Amino acid sequence: CSNDSCKDVTAAAGRAETIPGEDPHGPGYFQLFTPEFLTPTVTIIPIPPCPMDVEAEIELACQAFFSDLAGAINHLRKSVEIILNYLNIPKKQTTTDKSTGKKKRKERPLHNRIGEFRKKDPVLADRLEAIKWIGNAGSHPGALKKEDFFDALDLVEDFIQQHFAKKGKKLVAMTKKIIKKRGPISNCDY
């Protein structure tokens, strides 16, 4: 790593190919290197403060990104399940068997759990639902592109910043203080 505070060394394995192309000196052949595995893994984004198992799932997603795109996106979808656990949205529901009248507990679909959270925060629930849909597409061969991973990663990151790190609320509070003071608030805690 070229960051002076880091200097970590990462080993990479992947594909190398020679491709035709052009540079300022004219046409030629160039080496293209595509990583498929990195160790230790590279965290693609700085993960905002959040519960450790959410962070761990995002790190697994970053690790899988280079070799298993569908698996990487599935880890981001799993982070939604874990987030909902932290929000105390129940994982199980009680249903009644129509033929026997007996009650039984079963897993709630992710979509239903997101729907329950939507009652509390519709905007952030939309972020979770979008990640779920991208994750669902990962179950179908060839349905995903790398851009889809980055879309889901952006949505997870934004959710964490808005909910766990409370960045949005801090910015709203700061904005109100600046407007009320009608100027900078550099000597205030917000």
Side-chain angles (χ1 to χ4, degrees):
C1 178
S2 60
N3 182 336
D4 288 336
S5 65
C6 178
K7 297 292 184 190
D8 278 350
V9 174
T10 298
R15 289 182 287 117
E17 56 187 306
T18 303
I19 59 169
E22 253 186 75
D23 69 8
H25 304 291
Y29 289 91
F30 303 91
Q31 292 290 314
L32 175 66
F33 299 98
T34 306
E36 293 179 344
F37 178 78
L38 301 171
T39 187
T41 191
V42 175
T43 303
I44 297 172
I45 60 163
I47 302 170
C50 63
M52 283 177 35
D53 28 350
V54 174
E55 182 177 350
E57 210 60 50
I58 294 169
E59 287 174 354
L60 288 170
C62 292
Q63 183 178 1
F65 170 74
F66 295 99
S67 59
D68 180 11
L69 183 59
I73 289 177
N74 194 320
H75 283 293
L76 294 178
R77 187 184 187 282
K78 284 169 50 181
S79 75
V80 171
E81 296 271 5
I82 296 167
I83 286 168
L84 291 170
N85 294 346
Y86 276 96
L87 298 174
N88 295 316
I89 305 297
K91 291 192 282 189
K92 298 207 178 247
Q93 64 186 12
T94 303
T95 59
T96 304
D97 187 308
K98 291 179 183 176
S99 61
T100 65
K102 291 184 179 182
K103 293 186 179 214
K104 62 182 181 179
R105 306 253 315 139
K106 70 175 197 172
E107 292 287 326
R108 290 179 73 193
L110 178 57
H111 194 79
N112 292 359
R113 294 181 73 203
I114 293 169
E116 185 171 329
F117 177 64
R118 179 169 274 106
K119 296 172 192 172
K120 297 177 184 176
D121 193 327
V123 173
L124 290 181
D126 283 349
R127 302 226 189 354
L128 298 181
E129 184 177 350
I131 297 162
K132 179 202 78 132
W133 286 117
I134 294 171
N136 287 359
S139 300
H140 306 287
L144 298 171
K145 294 184 169 33
K146 288 183 179 183
E147 293 81 13
D148 299 317
F149 173 83
F150 291 112
D151 288 346
L153 191 61
D154 286 344
L155 290 165
V156 169
E157 178 186 23
D158 185 66
F159 182 94
I160 291 169
Q161 287 177 336
Q162 299 299 322
H163 184 78
F164 292 115
K166 308 269 191 245
K167 184 176 181 181
K169 291 178 183 172
K170 289 176 185 175
L171 291 174
V172 168
M174 178 186 68
T175 302
K176 287 181 181 180
K177 285 184 180 187
I178 292 169
I179 291 169
K180 184 177 180 180
K181 189 175 176 188
R182 295 181 179 209
I185 57 168
S186 52
N187 60 350
C188 297
D189 287 329
Y190 53 88

